[in-house]
Amino acid sequence: MQEEKKNIKLSHNLILKERKSLNISGVLDVDSFDDGAVIAYTELGELTIKGENLHINKIDLDSGDLELDGEVYLLEYTENKPSGQGLFSKLFK
């Protein structure tokens, strides 16, 4: 069952509303988060979100959805792929 999940590609989209609300699909894992930054692994690489008063409202790794609010200043991708050992994968094993 776990191997089947890894082979399914999730669609990756970002919806940023007025730099205050961000909805992301295609999230594989969240490595770290605080009120100034969130680091998430997506199908397209590592995504760093920086801002102020960032708050995760919803995370569902089964569907790949992440919703957060706060003042978003930066969205940055790097090519690092997830190791499968992020914060949420450790919590929800």
Side-chain angles (χ1 to χ4, degrees):
M1 180 84 166
Q2 278 290 59
E3 289 181 27
E4 288 178 26
K5 265 188 175 179
K6 290 181 183 178
N7 291 334
I8 297 172
K9 292 255 182 191
L10 299 173
S11 174
H12 177 61
N13 295 295
L14 298 170
I15 300 172
L16 179 62
K17 299 175 186 171
E18 298 182 10
R19 293 179 60 178
K20 301 225 180 277
S21 174
L22 180 62
N23 294 334
I24 308 170
S25 63
V27 174
L28 303 173
D29 206 351
V30 173
D31 186 50
S32 65
F33 66 94
D34 60 31
D35 66 344
V38 176
I39 299 174
Y41 293 110
T42 73
E43 288 287 345
L44 299 179
E46 182 181 288
L47 173 63
T48 300
I49 303 141
K50 291 188 179 178
E52 286 184 9
N53 302 317
L54 298 178
H55 179 265
I56 293 177
N57 293 324
K58 173 187 169 189
I59 184 159
D60 184 344
L61 296 179
D62 290 332
S63 67
D65 294 328
L66 173 68
E67 295 178 9
L68 61 89
D69 61 16
E71 187 71 28
V72 177
Y73 296 153
L74 173 87
L75 297 168
E76 178 180 47
Y77 284 95
T78 58
E79 291 301 318
N80 297 336
K81 297 293 181 184
S83 66
Q85 297 299 314
L87 176 65
F88 283 98
S89 66
K90 291 175 191 170
L91 289 174
F92 295 111
K93 274 192 173 179

